[in-house]
């Protein structure tokens, strides 16, 4: 088991290097750089910038160097824990991202728990009670959940709370708690806000995992050992939970790694709509302004987060299923 | 006015105490503005500040205010202290903060209707100012006893620090900003005493006051010497090591980081509010709180501002901001969501949301300016686009009224690209010529340029192929451009010209503009009121004069002074046409002129030439839009003029806003 984990950790290094290179290149692909966005916003405001001032800014931000030099100085910095400098915020990237990454992680992780907690029993239920009313209702909402994009759900929720409750959602705290110290009241306030992104983010995953669980369990339930056990008079609950559910849960766990990646990227979009204090709004702004070190560092760290999520789900699977653990 | 008597030459006097109306033929400061109210005898302060004074944390209000605070006449009524200004911004650092809490320059635009001429410039941080006859020496008298937000005195020393250690420091400013130099020679700053600053230019700098009143003039009064010296290498050799410790590229990065008042709550300011939760600390919002040393009072001696704080909620999604505005959660809406297409939404929700709409007039003269590249890289295309008949023909081929009806629900009037009717520079020919829809006239003009047609009636280019060009535009920036260009393409097809609208990303547009790679481009018509400050559409003045970028580059790089070799340039550059060259000379003449009437006369000549040349096509004159105030939020100027160069809404005195109900 330890060997397996170490091997996986070592494999992450080349993956991360590749991600850093790709994310840096992708950010540089659109025409122009941070200066271009400075110029275009100045054009909107009716200010004048002459070429001499531009040259000055270019040198100040180190944008006159070739891309490969910029990449390696950024990468070299990351190894030392320095993520570069945000042009837009005129402060080091490191100061800007950790809080937001923390919230992104919390929300993604809680959504994952939420998805599991709901999808698992629902999947078992709809397999055991196949073609019942409950199964149909689960399937109905499941397909709607699968088909509705996160951001649309978020917008719908926003509209409903405006039209019927005359209040706006968004954010993670009520205004009076934003600057308050942690307390039970503040925690309660957080929970009141937190369920909104969790539900929005979770819907898609719940729908998918419920279907996977249902299909796998149905396969198992038709196997002869189940019939035998039933014939021998094993109680229905024990019969279902002891073997078929355990085996059916295998793909359930393995697909969670991919689910986490989806949750993290979905979180970025939903956070923009709901104005959450997570990576989303900042990453979007950084990409629009071509604030490249900020954007690249975000993408890099979100990828690291996803990689670790996948690793954890693989470890869980290995722990859960001996066949994977011993197979090299 | 002791200073006035000491200066031994004729000069102009502007200011609260002196109205120079007696000097014939010279700019008159007092004519366009209401006389400044008298300084009240006693002063009041916010109860929150009074508590701090009672606790011994702050000195008394009389000691915090300068000897002669600036007195503001409330727009509606004297306000009450307390409350927050709840507002929203689309991103962190979008430039909305300086326009709401900032704008404390030495001089400023007078609140209200502005025409962007010298008459509209009034004292602000400076208590008064004087200009010598030829506009080369500007003397500013600061307010004795004025203080930064940390209580440290604000004196001429701060301006000298700005000049010596920022403007003239080659590390921080390798290039002297154009508004601070004449013919490439920088200004010389002198501080004869603590409250006097003299800007001495090597020659006349006629637009200096106006530029100082715009957003570029923010810096001189936003760099507290007593705080920033510790981060400047001249005064503290250790900053290089400190920058390295903080993993910054060099000491300049550290210096700018410390001087950035939006991101650094520690740097003292002269604003009515100071950042207490600065940008970057809390991703969802930032907060500015009352500056107890603010140096303005109302007519009854109440120290401003009335409101305790400004809360900027960062709302990235426009739909969410719209919902917040419709809910009445925002106290004032001047940006982002008050677009024309949202008018009915706001109108219907006024009662329920508890807000009120007011008129907002824009200084733009067009929402759509079509520029043909008259200095195209391709010889054949250049000749066609530079041919005035070509542009006249296309202009006559457009049914502007139908476009206005279809795209702007009938709001607007056919208009070319010229100063707005309410501007003193209004030029009817420039605004209205070639706007009538006349099919035959269009063909007549086009026949002079591209007479040959193929079987389908499409005009043939010099190469014998059907003539075809693209108009590039940033669809994401203005959604209506796609519709306007689609309609235009249909009209032009009827006169045998084939045009394809091409939507490109904004940065790509900028790159192609810089490389002079475009056939034609669309942008907004700035400078409808700010005629002299932003003349980009009237002659090739700035890099955004899309119709002749290489000419503008030539001008910007000092072509008129003969300082450049066109062939060696690494940016697109070529010698302008005679007409454009004449305009450039006239504009330089404006810079060398201090007298307002003479400036206007020269600008009118430039506009006459612009009318002769007919550089670009406009569609319609934008009609007033709207802003929104929550009921119970007072002293908002209505109607409000929206202008970047005046930092709307800041120039309408946001420190006077107050709430009668939270």
């Amino acid at each position: 088991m330890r060997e397996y984990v170490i091997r996986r950790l070592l494999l992450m290094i080349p993956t991360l290097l590749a991600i850093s290179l790709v994310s840096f290149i992708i950010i540089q692909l659109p025409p122009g750089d941070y200066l271009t966005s400075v110029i275009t916003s100045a054009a909107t405001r009716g200010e004048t910038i002459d070429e001499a001032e531009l040259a000055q800014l270019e040198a100040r931000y180190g944008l006159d160097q070739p891309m490969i030099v910029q990449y390696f100085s950024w990468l070299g910095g990351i190894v030392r824990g320095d993520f570069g400098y945000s042009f837009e915020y005129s402060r080091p990237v490191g100061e800007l991202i950790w809080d937001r990454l923390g919230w992104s992680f919390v929300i993604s992780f809680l959504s994952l728990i939420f998805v599991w907690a709901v999808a698992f029993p629902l999947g078992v239920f709809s397999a055991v009670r196949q073609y019942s009313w409950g199964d149909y209702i689960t399937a109905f909402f499941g397909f709607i959940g699968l088909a509705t994009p996160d951001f649309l759900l978020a917008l719908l929720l926003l509209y409903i709370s405006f039209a019927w409750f005359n209040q706006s959602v968004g954010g993670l705290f009520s205004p009076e708690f934003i600057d308050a110290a942690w307390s039970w009241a503040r925690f309660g306030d957080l929970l009141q806000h937190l369920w909104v992104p969790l539900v929005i983010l979770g819907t898609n995953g719940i729908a998918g995992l419920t279907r996977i669980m249902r299909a796998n369990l149905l396969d198992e339930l038709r196997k002869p050992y189940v019939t035998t056990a039933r014939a021998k008079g094993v109680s229905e609950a024990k019969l279902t939970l002891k073997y078929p559910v355990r085996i059916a849960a295998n793909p359930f766990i393995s697909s969670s790694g991919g689910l986490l990646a989806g949750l993290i990227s979905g979180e970025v979009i939903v956070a923009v709509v709901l104005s959450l204090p997570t990576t989303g709004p900042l990453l979007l702004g950084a990409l629009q302004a071509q604030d490249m070190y900020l954007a690249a560092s975000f993408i890099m760290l979100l990828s690291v987060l996803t990689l670790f999520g996948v690793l954890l789900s693989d470890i869980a699977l290995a722990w859960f299923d001996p066949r994977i653990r011993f197979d090299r | 006015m002791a200073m006035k008597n000491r200066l031994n030459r004729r000069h102009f006097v502007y200011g609260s105490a002196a109205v120079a109306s007696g000097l014939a033929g010279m700019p008159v400061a007092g004519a366009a503005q209401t006389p400044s109210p008298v300084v009240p005898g006693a002063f009041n302060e916010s109860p929150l500040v009074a508590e701090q004074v009672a606790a011994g944390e702050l000195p008394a209000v009389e000691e915090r205010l300068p000897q002669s605070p600036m007195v503001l006449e409330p727009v509606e009524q004297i306000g009450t202290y307390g409350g927050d200004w709840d507002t929203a911004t689309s991103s962190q650092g979008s430039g909305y903060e300086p326009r709401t809490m900032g704008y404390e320059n030495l001089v400023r635009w007078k609140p209200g209707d502005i025409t962007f001429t010298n008459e509209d410039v009034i004292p602000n941080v400076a208590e008064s100012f004087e200009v010598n006859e030829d506009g080369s020496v500007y003397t500013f008298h600061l307010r004795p006893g004025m203080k930064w937000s940390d209580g440290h005195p604000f004196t001429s020393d701060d301006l000298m620090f700005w000049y010596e250690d920022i403007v003239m420091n080659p590390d921080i400013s390798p290039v002297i900003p154009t508004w601070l130099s004449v013919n490439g020679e920088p200004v010389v700053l002198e501080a004869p005493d603590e409250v006097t600053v003299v800007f001495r230019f090597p020659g006349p700098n006629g637009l200096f006051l106006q530029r100082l009143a715009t957003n570029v003039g923010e810096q001189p009064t936003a760099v507290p010497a007593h705080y920033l010296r510790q981060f400047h290498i001249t005064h503290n050799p250790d900053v290089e090591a400190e920058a390295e410790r903080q993993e910054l590229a060099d000491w300049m990065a550290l210096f700018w980081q410390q001087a950035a008042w939006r991101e650094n709550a520690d740097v003292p300011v002269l604003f009515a509010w100071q950042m207490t939760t600065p940008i970057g600390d809390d991703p969802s919002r930032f907060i500015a709180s009352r500056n107890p040393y603010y140096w303005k009072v109302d007519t009854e001696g109440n120290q401003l501002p009335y409101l305790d704080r400004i809360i900027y909620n960062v709302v990235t999604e426009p739909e969410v901001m719209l919902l917040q505005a419709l809910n009445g959660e925002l106290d004032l809406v001047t940006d982002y969501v008050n677009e024309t297409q949202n008018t009915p939404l706001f109108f219907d929700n006024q009662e329920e949301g508890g807000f009120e709409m007011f008129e907002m007039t824009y200084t733009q003269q067009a929402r759509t300016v079509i520029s043909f590249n008259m200095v195209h890289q391709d010889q054949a295309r250049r000749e066609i686009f530079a041919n005035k008949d070509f542009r006249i023909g296309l202009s006559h081929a457009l049914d502007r009224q139908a476009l206005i009806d279809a795209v702007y629900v009938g709001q607007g009037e056919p208009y070319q690209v010229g100063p707005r009717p309410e501007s003193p520079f209004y030029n009817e020919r420039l605004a209205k010529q070639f706007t009538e829809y006349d099919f035959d006239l269009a063909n007549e003009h086009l026949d002079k340029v591209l007479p040959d047609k193929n079987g389908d009636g499409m005009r043939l280019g010099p190469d014998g192929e059907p003539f075809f060009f693209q108009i590039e535009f940033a669809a994401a920036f203005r959604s209506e451009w796609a519709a306007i260009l689609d309609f235009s393409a249909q009209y032009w097809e009827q006169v045998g010209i084939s045009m394809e609208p091409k939507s490109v990303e904004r940065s790509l547009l900028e790159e192609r503009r810089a490389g002079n790679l475009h056939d034609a481009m669309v942008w907004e018509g700035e400078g409808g009121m700010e005629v002299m400050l932003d003349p980009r559409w009237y002659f090739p003045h700035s890099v955004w004069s899309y119709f002749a970028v290489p000419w503008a580059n030539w001008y910007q790089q000092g072509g008129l002074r003969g300082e450049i070799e066109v062939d060696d340039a690494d940016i697109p550059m070529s010698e302008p046409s005679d007409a454009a060259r004449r305009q450039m000379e006239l504009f330089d003449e404006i810079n060398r002129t201090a007298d307002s009437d003479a400036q206007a006369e020269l600008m009118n000549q430039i506009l006459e030439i612009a009318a002769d040349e007919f550089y670009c096509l406009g569609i319609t004159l934008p009609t007033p839009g709207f802003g929104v105030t929550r009921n119970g939020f007072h002293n908002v100027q209505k109607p409000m003029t929206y202008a970047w160069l005046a930092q709307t809404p800041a120039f309408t005195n946001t420190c006077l806003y107050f709430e009668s109900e939270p």
Side-chain angles (χ1 to χ4, degrees):
Chain A
M1 185 73 175
R2 187 198 292 164
E3 200 184 318
Y4 173 77
V5 174
I6 290 173
R7 196 170 71 231
R8 287 297 307 270
L9 282 173
L10 286 178
L11 268 175
M12 276 169 72
I13 295 171
T15 318
L16 282 176
L17 278 177
I19 290 174
S20 73
L21 185 65
V22 170
S23 52
F24 201 81
I25 290 176
I26 287 180
I27 284 161
Q28 304 269 23
L29 274 185
D33 48 33
Y34 178 64
L35 278 190
T36 324
S37 61
V38 170
I39 300 171
T40 43
S41 53
T44 323
R45 299 173 196 173
E47 294 163 15
T48 357
I49 290 187
D50 56 37
E51 299 287 342
E53 279 175 82
L54 287 180
Q56 175 186 346
L57 283 172
E58 201 166 42
R60 185 166 142 198
Y61 296 131
L63 292 169
D64 45 355
Q65 294 164 352
M67 187 170 93
I68 197 76
V69 175
Q70 293 179 15
Y71 170 70
F72 278 109
S73 75
W74 174 67
L75 196 66
I78 286 187
V79 177
R80 286 179 278 115
D82 168 20
F83 288 89
Y85 193 75
S86 162
F87 305 141
E88 216 185 350
Y89 294 87
S90 44
R91 55 166 81 185
V93 168
E95 279 183 27
L96 292 165
I97 49 179
W98 294 114
D99 278 6
R100 292 162 175 81
L101 267 179
W103 279 117
S104 277
F105 178 74
V106 166
I107 289 178
S108 305
F109 189 73
L110 287 180
S111 312
L112 188 66
I113 306 271
F114 173 66
V115 168
W116 274 349
V118 177
F120 194 83
L122 265 186
V124 173
F125 168 81
S126 29
V128 176
R129 298 270 182 278
Q130 197 188 6
Y131 303 138
S132 67
W133 272 106
D135 184 26
Y136 284 130
I137 290 172
T138 315
F140 178 74
F141 283 106
F143 283 121
I144 287 184
L146 264 181
T148 318
D150 290 343
F151 72 90
L152 189 66
L153 213 58
L155 282 176
L156 273 175
L157 222 64
L158 285 178
Y159 179 74
I160 290 169
S161 59
F162 162 71
W164 280 307
F165 302 107
N166 229 10
Q167 60 168 27
S168 65
V169 294
L172 284 181
F173 294 101
S174 307
E176 63 267 31
F177 283 108
I178 292 184
D179 287 329
W182 278 106
S183 62
W184 283 112
R186 188 172 191 241
F187 185 69
D189 183 66
L190 172 66
L191 288 187
Q192 277 179 24
H193 287 81
L194 199 58
W195 69 270
V196 180
L198 290 194
V199 167
I200 293 170
L201 280 170
T203 322
N204 211 309
I206 288 172
L209 276 190
T210 309
R211 301 308 296 173
I212 291 174
M213 188 67 202
R214 178 180 183 273
N216 288 325
L217 190 54
L218 278 177
D219 280 350
E220 279 311 307
L221 285 177
R222 295 200 186 103
K223 291 203 169 149
Y225 74 91
V226 179
T227 317
T228 314
R230 192 174 283 135
K232 289 198 166 185
V234 181
S235 78
E236 199 63 23
K238 193 177 174 187
L239 171 96
T240 321
L241 291 179
K242 182 130 193 193
Y243 296 108
V245 167
R246 270 179 68 183
I247 294 171
N250 238 339
F252 186 91
I253 293 175
S254 64
S255 60
S256 296
L259 182 70
L260 191 69
L263 285 176
I264 288 175
S265 59
E267 194 275 327
V268 170
I269 300 168
V270 171
V272 170
V273 179
L274 292 179
S275 303
L276 300 180
T278 63
T279 45
L282 207 65
L283 175 59
L284 182 70
L287 286 173
Q288 281 171 342
Q290 308 212 15
D291 192 353
M292 59 177 183
Y293 296 119
L294 183 57
S297 302
F298 262 133
I299 293 182
M300 179 78 192
L301 287 170
L302 285 175
S303 309
V304 171
L305 211 58
T306 313
L307 280 183
F308 271 102
V310 175
L311 178 70
L312 284 181
S313 101
D314 285 356
I315 291 174
L317 193 63
W319 168 77
F320 201 78
D321 187 344
R323 289 174 297 182
I324 294 167
R325 202 181 326 160
F326 299 122
D327 182 34
R328 300 191 47 107
Chain B
M1 283 280 103
M3 285 306 302
K4 179 185 166 188
N5 301 332
R6 226 178 293 157
L7 287 171
N8 193 18
R9 67 174 76 85
R10 277 175 74 199
H11 52 265
F12 310 140
V13 183
Y14 296 78
S16 49
V19 176
S21 50
L23 307 171
M26 290 175 188
V28 178
Q33 74 199 68
T34 48
S36 257
V38 193
V39 177
F43 300 110
N44 304 315
E45 61 199 332
S46 146
L48 288 179
V49 179
E51 274 173 32
Q52 286 176 283
V53 173
E57 292 163 18
L58 283 174
V61 62
E62 289 79 15
E63 290 161 42
R64 298 197 311 272
L65 286 168
Q67 283 169 24
S68 53
M70 186 162 174
V71 183
L72 298 182
E73 187 110 42
V75 177
E76 295 165 16
Q77 50 179 305
I78 298 285
T80 48
Y81 284 113
D84 294 336
W85 174 3
D86 293 303
T87 186
T89 169
S90 71
S91 67
Q92 311 227 5
S94 62
Y96 181 64
E97 314 79 53
R99 291 191 289 123
T100 39
M101 61 179 278
Y103 192 50
E104 299 296 0
N105 303 356
L106 279 171
V107 295
R108 52 166 292 149
W109 299 108
K110 75 176 172 70
D113 299 330
I114 40 175
T115 55
F116 295 93
T117 51
N118 279 347
E119 282 80 19
D120 287 346
V121 180
I122 60 169
N124 191 47
V125 169
E127 189 179 1
S128 61
F129 57 85
E130 296 145 28
V131 189
N132 74 339
E133 197 166 3
D134 70 350
S136 62
V137 180
Y138 295 79
T139 308
F140 296 91
H141 303 284
L142 309 178
R143 297 172 192 271
M146 188 163 151
K147 296 180 179 63
W148 291 97
S149 56
D150 62 351
H152 197 279
F154 166 76
T155 63
S156 57
D157 179 50
D158 292 291
L159 283 144
M160 287 311 289
F161 169 74
W162 163 74
Y163 174 72
E164 286 169 356
D165 292 327
I166 296 180
V167 177
M168 298 308 287
N169 183 298
D171 288 335
I172 289 203
S173 318
V175 185
I176 310 289
T178 39
W179 66 284
L180 286 174
S181 52
V182 169
N183 292 335
E185 284 286 306
V187 64
V188 175
L189 208 63
E190 292 159 15
D193 60 54
E194 274 209 337
V195 289
T196 310
V197 184
V198 185
F199 285 68
R200 214 176 281 282
F201 288 94
N205 190 355
L207 294 179
F208 171 69
L209 275 183
Q210 295 186 40
R211 296 209 172 104
L212 191 63
T214 68
N215 43 347
V216 298
E218 180 201 271
Q219 204 185 46
T221 45
V223 281
H226 68 283
Y227 177 81
L228 287 173
R229 278 207 175 108
Q230 57 181 314
F231 304 106
H232 197 289
I233 202 152
T234 312
H235 304 279
N236 178 7
D238 301 335
V239 283
E240 198 68 75
E242 176 62 20
E244 196 155 326
R245 203 183 59 75
Q246 295 194 22
E247 294 181 333
L248 296 167
D250 43 37
W251 71 269
M252 288 89 83
L254 177 68
F255 182 83
W256 285 122
Q257 189 182 323
Q258 290 296 331
W261 57 264
R262 295 191 281 179
E263 287 89 4
N264 176 16
D266 294 332
V267 58
V269 293
L270 294 177
F271 307 142
W273 297 273
Q274 179 179 21
M275 282 288 181
T276 41
T277 305
I279 293 179
D281 268 20
D282 179 340
S284 60
R285 61 177 193 172
F286 37 97
I287 298 170
S289 306
R290 174 194 302 281
N291 166 9
Y293 289 91
Y294 194 54
W295 39 279
K296 293 182 186 173
V297 296
D298 68 15
T299 42
E300 288 184 3
N302 298 306
Q303 190 192 17
L304 298 168
Y306 295 127
L307 292 168
D308 289 333
R309 305 190 296 173
I310 310 181
I311 297 180
Y312 299 90
N313 286 296
V314 180
V315 182
T316 29
E317 171 64 40
E319 300 296 323
V320 176
M321 202 190 287
L322 180 61
L323 284 180
Q324 290 181 344
L326 293 173
N327 257 346
E329 291 172 25
L330 306 179
D331 288 325
L332 173 69
V333 178
T334 56
D335 286 77
Y336 307 118
V337 293
N338 51 332
E339 293 176 335
T340 322
Q341 71 256 30
N342 292 336
T343 315
L345 259 179
F346 277 100
F347 190 80
D348 292 344
N349 276 289
Q350 281 188 104
E351 194 114 329
E352 210 172 315
F355 56 79
E356 187 182 278
M357 294 164 79
F358 64 90
E359 188 179 289
M360 181 97 90
T361 53
Y362 291 91
T363 58
Q364 290 183 336
Q365 77 320 52
R367 286 279 156 83
T368 314
V369 175
I370 303 176
S371 315
F372 297 97
N373 189 350
M374 296 171 52
V375 200
H376 201 287
Q377 291 185 327
D378 179 64
Q379 167 86 26
R381 286 184 175 251
R382 183 164 66 233
E383 277 170 17
I384 294 168
F385 291 140
N387 193 323
K388 190 177 159 191
D389 279 312
F390 178 75
R391 302 194 296 275
I392 296 175
L394 291 186
S395 183
H396 277 306
L398 291 177
D399 185 351
R400 286 182 173 73
Q401 195 54 52
L403 275 171
I404 292 167
D405 290 343
V407 181
Y408 295 104
V409 286
Q411 300 291 304
E413 60 171 286
Y415 213 76
Q416 297 285 13
V417 184
R420 294 182 63 91
E422 55 276 25
S423 164
F425 294 107
Y426 175 68
N427 180 317
E428 194 181 344
R429 193 158 64 96
L430 187 58
K432 290 295 193 176
Q433 63 181 347
F434 317 126
T435 49
E436 68 273 27
Y437 176 45
D438 190 328
F439 191 73
D440 298 327
L441 208 54
N443 272 321
E444 195 180 301
H445 281 283
L446 288 172
D447 284 343
K448 293 184 201 166
V449 191
L450 300 165
D452 304 327
K453 295 185 186 177
N454 67 7
D456 301 332
M458 299 311 287
R459 294 175 187 276
L460 301 177
D463 54 356
E465 294 293 315
F467 182 70
F468 163 82
F469 69 96
Q470 287 180 326
I471 296 187
E472 294 173 48
F473 69 105
F477 187 66
R478 277 218 170 271
S479 50
E480 73 242 34
W481 283 343
I484 285 181
L485 290 179
D486 275 342
F487 280 119
S488 305
Q490 288 170 30
Y491 284 118
W492 290 343
E493 192 165 350
Q494 289 168 19
V495 291
I497 298 283
S498 166
M499 180 275 278
E500 180 197 23
K502 189 173 176 216
S503 166
V504 294
E505 208 276 323
R506 217 167 132 185
S507 309
L508 181 60
L509 191 84
E510 178 56 30
E511 294 262 294
R512 292 182 55 80
R513 187 280 306 159
N516 196 33
L517 300 169
H518 54 291
D519 286 344
M521 269 183 186
V522 163
W523 196 251
E524 309 187 289
E526 299 290 344
M529 296 298 290
E530 312 92 321
V531 180
M532 287 190 289
L533 288 170
D534 189 357
R536 68 174 101 158
W537 299 120
Y538 310 131
F539 76 96
H541 169 261
S542 88
V543 294
W544 299 300
S545 300
Y546 289 129
F547 52 92
V549 175
W551 294 355
N553 283 337
W554 180 85
Y555 175 60
Q556 290 283 343
Q557 305 284 309
L560 278 184
R561 300 195 297 272
E563 287 172 7
I564 42 160
E565 280 301 319
V566 172
D567 300 331
D568 296 347
D570 51 0
I571 49 175
M573 193 183 286
S574 59
E575 289 210 18
S577 68
D578 291 344
R581 192 189 186 111
R582 175 80 193 118
Q583 287 180 304
M584 293 167 185
E585 285 165 2
L586 286 166
F587 194 71
D588 276 7
E589 191 64 38
I590 291 181
N591 277 318
R592 286 195 295 269
T593 308
D595 183 80
S596 265
D597 295 336
Q599 284 183 347
E601 166 57 30
L602 291 163
M603 193 66 220
N604 283 328
Q605 285 185 45
I606 293 179
L607 293 170
E608 275 300 314
I609 301 176
D612 292 340
E613 293 300 302
F614 186 50
Y615 291 119
C616 22
L617 256 69
I619 305 288
T620 168
L621 180 73
T623 49
F626 69 96
V628 174
T629 47
R630 194 176 59 78
N631 297 344
F633 195 75
H634 300 286
N635 277 343
V636 176
Q637 201 172 67
K638 303 167 189 174
M640 191 184 280
T641 305
Y642 191 99
W644 261 103
L645 293 183
Q647 299 279 281
T648 307
F651 91 104
T652 65
N653 290 327
T654 50
C655 56
L656 287 169
Y657 294 172
F658 75 96
E659 290 184 312
S660 62
E661 48 195 90

